[in-house]
Amino acid sequence: MLLVTPPNSYRIAAYLEAARALDVEPVVASPGRHSLIGELAAGVHIDLHDPAAGRLLLAAATRQPFDGVVATDDAAVPLASEVAATLGLPHNPPAAARISRRKDLARACLQQAGVDVPEHRCIQLDQPLAPQLEGLRYPVVVKPVSLSASRGVLRADDPDACRRACARIEAMLAREQDLPAAERRLLLVEAFIEGPELAVEALLHQGELELLAVFDKPDPLQGPCFEETYYITPSRHDPQDRALAVETVARACRAYGLREGPVHAELRLAQGKAWVMEVASRTIGGECARLLRFGAGADLETLVLQRALGRPVEVQPPGGAAGVLMLPIPGAGVLRRVEGVLAARRVPYIEELILSVREGYELVPLPEGGSYLGFLFARAPTPEQAEAALREAHARLNVVIAPLFHLHPP
Ligand code: ADP
C-alpha cells in the first residue's frame, strides 16, 4: 500500500497502524527534508509538487507492485490520484483531485453545477488591488487557494480590513516555498455566509457516497479567524437539514468528478440552503478521526485502506455520541506548560487528552499557524453530554505561554 503524505501529517501514524492490523505492507512516499521514512516505514523520498515525483513512484512500483494508493492529507491528493490512475488502482480522476484541492477551481466548478457556494472572485496579487476589490459586498472572507486547516482564512468587514487581509495573506504566502508560484499569487474573496456550520464525513465507492458521520460545530465561527474547535456527532440539526447537507456533498462530489475514497466536507446552513465551504478528498483533519469507530471497532483509516485495496467493507454508523475539541491556541509565544491536565482527564465522559505541542515549542495562532495544540475526546450517551464534558474539561486547562522575542540584526 503506497501512502503519499506530507511531512507534517497527523494521520500517517494511524494509517501505518491500520496497515499493520490489516497485514498490509505500507510504503510511505514523503518529502525528505523532515523525513518520516526510515524509523517508521519503508519508503520513497519525493517532492510532492515536483513533476518527477510521479515517475519516482511508478519506478518504485515496478520494483515492488502496489495494491492500492492513499493520500493521507490534502497536499498529497493530486500526486496519489495520478499514480493510482497510471497503475489502474481505485482512485479519483486526477482532474477531480486537483479541483478538490484548489479553492478557486472548486468554487467555479460547483457554481457551474448549480451547487450553492458563496459569491466569489479571484484576486491576482501581482495586479493592482483596488480595481479588483471594487464593488464587493461586505462582510467577505479572504483566503489563499491551496492552504488548509483554515490557514490564511480571514474575514473582512470593510474595504480597509480587506486590503489588510490581502497584505497579510500575501506575506504569509511568500513564505510558503513549497507551493507552486502561481498559487502564491492568487487569493479568493467571497461573501461571508452567516449560519451554523456542520461537517460531513463519508466514503466514495464507484461514485456513490456512503455517509459515515455528520458533525455539528456548535461554536459560532464568526471570524476574523476560523479556528476549528468542537466537532460533535451525531448532529442535532433537523433531519431535513442533515439530509440537505449530505445531498449537497454528493452533488459536489459528482460535480468535481470524485469517485473513490474518503470525503470530508464543511457546510453552512443559511436561507434554507446548505452552502459548501469545502469538500475535500481526504479524511477529517488533525487527530479527529480517532472519534469514529465503525462496526466491530474498525477505525476510519482501516475503512479507507480496505477500500483502496478494492476490498468490500461494511460501513455501520458509529453508535452513541462523541465529540472532539481541537484545543485553541490562546496566543503567540513559547509553550511553557499546560496546567490542569489530570483534572481535565477526570471529567466524566472524557476519553482522552492529547497534547501535540511539546513544552518549549513555539505556538503560532491563526491565520499564519496551522498546527494544533492538542485534542480532547469525549464519548457519551448523548451529544449534549459529550459537548458539556469537552467544555468542562477545557475550562480546567490553563495554557501557560511565554512571550517570544525575535532578534533583528541592526
Ligand atoms: P480550509 O480548507 O483551510 O479549512 P476553508 O475555506 O474551508 O479553509 O475555510 C475554513 C473555515 O472558514 C470554514 O470552515 C468556515 O468556518 C470559514 N469560512 C470560510 N469561507 C467562508 C465563507 N464564505 N463564509 C463563512 N465562513 C467561511
Side-chain angles (χ1 to χ4, degrees):
M1 169 66 63
L2 177 64
L3 296 169
V4 188
T5 184
N8 56 353
S9 173
Y10 284 89
R11 301 308 328 138
I12 186 66
Y15 274 112
L16 291 174
E17 213 172 289
R20 280 183 196 121
L22 289 171
D23 215 8
V24 168
E25 193 184 329
V27 174
V28 175
S30 187
R33 195 154 25 114
H34 308 286
S35 183
L36 294 169
I37 300 163
E39 290 279 302
L40 282 177
V44 187
H45 283 143
I46 42 140
D47 174 346
L48 290 172
H49 301 287
D50 182 351
R55 287 198 295 279
L56 276 176
L57 295 180
L58 293 175
T62 59
R63 294 192 294 275
Q64 179 189 31
F66 303 127
D67 295 318
V69 181
V70 162
T72 62
D73 298 72
D74 267 335
V77 160
L79 176 61
S81 71
E82 273 163 36
V83 172
T86 311
L87 296 175
L89 296 167
H91 67 284
N92 285 315
R98 203 169 98 83
I99 293 173
S100 75
R101 230 189 78 62
R102 275 274 301 264
K103 295 176 190 187
D104 54 333
L105 304 180
R107 286 284 186 256
C109 167
L110 294 186
Q111 186 169 42
Q112 210 182 7
V115 179
D116 292 305
V117 287
E119 220 176 273
H120 57 276
R121 61 171 80 159
C122 284
I123 302 290
Q124 297 286 349
L125 287 168
D126 34 25
Q127 309 279 325
L129 211 51
Q132 298 186 80
L133 299 183
E134 233 164 67
L136 282 174
R137 271 182 294 177
Y138 290 90
V140 296
V141 176
V142 190
K143 54 176 87 167
V145 295
S146 55
L147 292 185
S148 52
S150 303
R151 289 187 63 217
V153 180
L154 278 172
R155 170 177 165 161
D157 288 346
D158 54 57
D160 257 359
C162 188
R163 275 191 294 275
R164 282 197 306 275
C166 290
R168 189 162 177 184
I169 305 169
E170 182 175 12
M172 193 184 149
L173 286 174
R175 295 189 295 270
E176 293 291 321
Q177 292 304 322
D178 286 343
L179 285 185
E183 294 173 25
R184 278 184 266 144
R185 310 298 306 155
L186 197 57
L187 298 184
L188 193 62
V189 179
E190 56 187 41
F192 175 76
I193 305 290
E194 175 99 53
E197 189 159 319
L198 43 77
V200 173
E201 198 70 17
L203 269 183
L204 276 169
H205 183 49
Q206 295 176 349
E208 292 298 315
L209 195 75
E210 283 171 308
L211 180 64
L212 300 179
V214 179
F215 292 92
D216 288 347
K217 299 175 76 171
D219 271 357
L221 296 158
Q222 298 283 18
C225 293
F226 298 90
E227 192 165 35
E228 322 234 44
T229 54
Y230 295 90
Y231 282 81
I232 313 286
T233 187
S235 168
R236 286 161 278 172
H237 282 291
D238 284 348
Q240 302 95 297
D241 283 340
R242 293 199 306 259
L244 176 65
V246 176
E247 171 53 26
T248 306
V249 176
R251 286 176 59 210
C253 291
R254 282 197 293 275
Y256 292 164
L258 293 175
R259 296 189 54 76
E260 294 289 338
V263 172
H264 174 78
E266 313 255 344
L267 305 103
R268 283 193 175 213
L269 299 170
Q271 304 141 28
K273 296 174 177 175
W275 301 80
V276 172
M277 297 290 106
E278 86 167 316
V279 174
S281 50
R282 57 163 169 84
T283 57
I284 188 168
E287 300 271 2
C288 299
R290 282 177 188 235
L291 265 193
L292 300 171
R293 293 265 176 280
F294 304 92
D299 54 27
L300 184 54
E301 289 78 16
T302 305
L303 296 190
V304 172
L305 292 188
Q306 283 173 310
R307 267 292 154 71
L309 291 166
R311 294 182 189 167
V313 289
E314 206 180 309
V315 176
Q316 285 172 22
V324 60
L325 168 63
M326 301 165 97
L327 292 174
I329 291 186
V334 173
L335 179 64
R336 279 280 163 253
R337 62 189 175 275
V338 180
E339 297 169 343
V341 167
L342 286 180
R345 284 196 175 124
R346 261 190 235 119
V347 172
Y349 302 128
I350 292 296
E351 196 174 70
E352 207 173 0
L353 165 62
I354 301 175
L355 294 175
S356 336
V357 181
R358 300 241 305 273
E359 288 164 16
Y361 278 75
E362 186 180 357
L363 294 178
V364 185
L366 285 173
E368 285 83 7
S371 49
Y372 305 109
L373 175 58
F375 303 84
L376 251 176
F377 295 92
R379 216 170 279 281
T382 67
E384 289 79 6
Q385 287 165 316
E387 183 181 337
L390 292 173
R391 290 193 188 278
E392 188 180 337
H394 186 223
R396 293 184 182 190
L397 291 178
N398 180 31
V399 182
V400 182
I401 300 173
L404 177 70
F405 299 101
H406 289 280
L407 296 180
H408 292 283

PDB file of all heavy atoms in Angstrom, residues 271-285:
ATOM      1  N   GLN A 271     -30.487  30.436   4.841  1.00  0.00           N
ATOM      2  CA  GLN A 271     -31.538  30.699   3.835  1.00  0.00           C
ATOM      3  C   GLN A 271     -32.080  29.398   3.241  1.00  0.00           C
ATOM      4  O   GLN A 271     -32.324  29.306   2.035  1.00  0.00           O
ATOM      5  CB  GLN A 271     -30.993  31.574   2.696  1.00  0.00           C
ATOM      6  CG  GLN A 271     -30.400  32.890   3.166  1.00  0.00           C
ATOM      7  CD  GLN A 271     -29.141  33.260   2.399  1.00  0.00           C
ATOM      8  OE1 GLN A 271     -28.967  32.883   1.244  1.00  0.00           O
ATOM      9  NE2 GLN A 271     -28.251  33.992   3.042  1.00  0.00           N
ATOM     10  N   GLY A 272     -32.243  28.379   4.078  1.00  0.00           N
ATOM     11  CA  GLY A 272     -32.815  27.114   3.608  1.00  0.00           C
ATOM     12  C   GLY A 272     -31.898  26.329   2.688  1.00  0.00           C
ATOM     13  O   GLY A 272     -32.339  25.388   2.021  1.00  0.00           O
ATOM     14  N   LYS A 273     -30.623  26.719   2.633  1.00  0.00           N
ATOM     15  CA  LYS A 273     -29.669  26.009   1.763  1.00  0.00           C
ATOM     16  C   LYS A 273     -28.480  25.514   2.579  1.00  0.00           C
ATOM     17  O   LYS A 273     -28.210  26.020   3.669  1.00  0.00           O
ATOM     18  CB  LYS A 273     -29.144  26.958   0.679  1.00  0.00           C
ATOM     19  CG  LYS A 273     -30.213  27.447  -0.266  1.00  0.00           C
ATOM     20  CD  LYS A 273     -29.619  28.465  -1.190  1.00  0.00           C
ATOM     21  CE  LYS A 273     -30.663  28.913  -2.213  1.00  0.00           C
ATOM     22  NZ  LYS A 273     -30.150  29.987  -3.052  1.00  0.00           N
ATOM     23  N   ALA A 274     -27.782  24.539   2.010  1.00  0.00           N
ATOM     24  CA  ALA A 274     -26.510  24.106   2.609  1.00  0.00           C
ATOM     25  C   ALA A 274     -25.410  24.621   1.695  1.00  0.00           C
ATOM     26  O   ALA A 274     -25.276  24.177   0.553  1.00  0.00           O
ATOM     27  CB  ALA A 274     -26.472  22.589   2.711  1.00  0.00           C
ATOM     28  N   TRP A 275     -24.644  25.588   2.193  1.00  0.00           N
ATOM     29  CA  TRP A 275     -23.600  26.239   1.390  1.00  0.00           C
ATOM     30  C   TRP A 275     -22.290  25.506   1.588  1.00  0.00           C
ATOM     31  O   TRP A 275     -21.856  25.301   2.727  1.00  0.00           O
ATOM     32  CB  TRP A 275     -23.424  27.701   1.820  1.00  0.00           C
ATOM     33  CG  TRP A 275     -24.665  28.509   1.676  1.00  0.00           C
ATOM     34  CD1 TRP A 275     -25.727  28.533   2.534  1.00  0.00           C
ATOM     35  CD2 TRP A 275     -24.989  29.405   0.608  1.00  0.00           C
ATOM     36  NE1 TRP A 275     -26.695  29.397   2.068  1.00  0.00           N
ATOM     37  CE2 TRP A 275     -26.267  29.942   0.892  1.00  0.00           C
ATOM     38  CE3 TRP A 275     -24.324  29.812  -0.548  1.00  0.00           C
ATOM     39  CZ2 TRP A 275     -26.878  30.860   0.052  1.00  0.00           C
ATOM     40  CZ3 TRP A 275     -24.933  30.727  -1.378  1.00  0.00           C
ATOM     41  CH2 TRP A 275     -26.198  31.235  -1.085  1.00  0.00           C
ATOM     42  N   VAL A 276     -21.660  25.150   0.496  1.00  0.00           N
ATOM     43  CA  VAL A 276     -20.398  24.419   0.603  1.00  0.00           C
ATOM     44  C   VAL A 276     -19.279  25.374   1.008  1.00  0.00           C
ATOM     45  O   VAL A 276     -19.040  26.382   0.338  1.00  0.00           O
ATOM     46  CB  VAL A 276     -20.034  23.750  -0.742  1.00  0.00           C
ATOM     47  CG1 VAL A 276     -18.622  23.162  -0.691  1.00  0.00           C
ATOM     48  CG2 VAL A 276     -21.045  22.669  -1.090  1.00  0.00           C
ATOM     49  N   MET A 277     -18.628  25.063   2.125  1.00  0.00           N
ATOM     50  CA  MET A 277     -17.380  25.757   2.475  1.00  0.00           C
ATOM     51  C   MET A 277     -16.237  25.022   1.794  1.00  0.00           C
ATOM     52  O   MET A 277     -15.389  25.589   1.168  1.00  0.00           O
ATOM     53  CB  MET A 277     -17.170  25.787   3.996  1.00  0.00           C
ATOM     54  CG  MET A 277     -18.216  26.548   4.775  1.00  0.00           C
ATOM     55  SD  MET A 277     -18.096  28.339   4.492  1.00  0.00           S
ATOM     56  CE  MET A 277     -19.492  28.630   3.439  1.00  0.00           C
ATOM     57  N   GLU A 278     -16.212  23.698   1.984  1.00  0.00           N
ATOM     58  CA  GLU A 278     -15.221  22.914   1.244  1.00  0.00           C
ATOM     59  C   GLU A 278     -15.639  21.454   1.188  1.00  0.00           C
ATOM     60  O   GLU A 278     -16.326  20.958   2.080  1.00  0.00           O
ATOM     61  CB  GLU A 278     -13.827  23.051   1.864  1.00  0.00           C
ATOM     62  CG  GLU A 278     -13.540  22.104   2.988  1.00  0.00           C
ATOM     63  CD  GLU A 278     -12.061  22.046   3.383  1.00  0.00           C
ATOM     64  OE1 GLU A 278     -11.199  21.988   2.461  1.00  0.00           O
ATOM     65  OE2 GLU A 278     -11.784  22.051   4.569  1.00  0.00           O
ATOM     66  N   VAL A 279     -15.254  20.779   0.119  1.00  0.00           N
ATOM     67  CA  VAL A 279     -15.417  19.329   0.012  1.00  0.00           C
ATOM     68  C   VAL A 279     -14.039  18.801  -0.382  1.00  0.00           C
ATOM     69  O   VAL A 279     -13.550  19.093  -1.474  1.00  0.00           O
ATOM     70  CB  VAL A 279     -16.462  18.941  -1.051  1.00  0.00           C
ATOM     71  CG1 VAL A 279     -16.502  17.430  -1.241  1.00  0.00           C
ATOM     72  CG2 VAL A 279     -17.847  19.456  -0.657  1.00  0.00           C
ATOM     73  N   ALA A 280     -13.398  18.056   0.520  1.00  0.00           N
ATOM     74  CA  ALA A 280     -12.020  17.605   0.286  1.00  0.00           C
ATOM     75  C   ALA A 280     -11.991  16.085   0.158  1.00  0.00           C
ATOM     76  O   ALA A 280     -12.769  15.389   0.808  1.00  0.00           O
ATOM     77  CB  ALA A 280     -11.133  18.043   1.451  1.00  0.00           C
ATOM     78  N   SER A 281     -11.071  15.578  -0.680  1.00  0.00           N
ATOM     79  CA  SER A 281     -10.987  14.118  -0.854  1.00  0.00           C
ATOM     80  C   SER A 281      -9.913  13.558   0.080  1.00  0.00           C
ATOM     81  O   SER A 281      -8.859  13.117  -0.348  1.00  0.00           O
ATOM     82  CB  SER A 281     -10.709  13.770  -2.313  1.00  0.00           C
ATOM     83  OG  SER A 281      -9.625  14.523  -2.802  1.00  0.00           O
ATOM     84  N   ARG A 282     -10.216  13.617   1.355  1.00  0.00           N
ATOM     85  CA  ARG A 282      -9.335  13.111   2.415  1.00  0.00           C
ATOM     86  C   ARG A 282     -10.215  12.918   3.643  1.00  0.00           C
ATOM     87  O   ARG A 282     -11.388  13.279   3.629  1.00  0.00           O
ATOM     88  CB  ARG A 282      -8.237  14.127   2.745  1.00  0.00           C
ATOM     89  CG  ARG A 282      -8.830  15.461   3.159  1.00  0.00           C
ATOM     90  CD  ARG A 282      -7.860  16.358   3.870  1.00  0.00           C
ATOM     91  NE  ARG A 282      -8.383  17.712   4.010  1.00  0.00           N
ATOM     92  CZ  ARG A 282      -9.186  18.138   4.967  1.00  0.00           C
ATOM     93  NH1 ARG A 282      -9.627  17.298   5.881  1.00  0.00           N
ATOM     94  NH2 ARG A 282      -9.607  19.378   5.020  1.00  0.00           N
ATOM     95  N   THR A 283      -9.611  12.375   4.715  1.00  0.00           N
ATOM     96  CA  THR A 283     -10.391  12.218   5.941  1.00  0.00           C
ATOM     97  C   THR A 283     -10.344  13.505   6.758  1.00  0.00           C
ATOM     98  O   THR A 283      -9.574  14.420   6.440  1.00  0.00           O
ATOM     99  CB  THR A 283      -9.823  11.064   6.800  1.00  0.00           C
ATOM    100  OG1 THR A 283      -8.445  11.348   7.056  1.00  0.00           O
ATOM    101  CG2 THR A 283      -9.937   9.731   6.091  1.00  0.00           C
ATOM    102  N   ILE A 284     -11.153  13.549   7.806  1.00  0.00           N
ATOM    103  CA  ILE A 284     -11.189  14.711   8.708  1.00  0.00           C
ATOM    104  C   ILE A 284      -9.781  15.002   9.243  1.00  0.00           C
ATOM    105  O   ILE A 284      -8.974  14.090   9.393  1.00  0.00           O
ATOM    106  CB  ILE A 284     -12.196  14.440   9.860  1.00  0.00           C
ATOM    107  CG1 ILE A 284     -12.431  15.675  10.720  1.00  0.00           C
ATOM    108  CG2 ILE A 284     -11.761  13.262  10.724  1.00  0.00           C
ATOM    109  CD1 ILE A 284     -13.623  15.532  11.676  1.00  0.00           C
ATOM    110  N   GLY A 285      -9.501  16.286   9.503  1.00  0.00           N
ATOM    111  CA  GLY A 285      -8.133  16.706   9.837  1.00  0.00           C
ATOM    112  C   GLY A 285      -7.705  16.404  11.265  1.00  0.00           C
ATOM    113  O   GLY A 285      -8.491  15.928  12.080  1.00  0.00           O
TER     114      GLY A 285
END
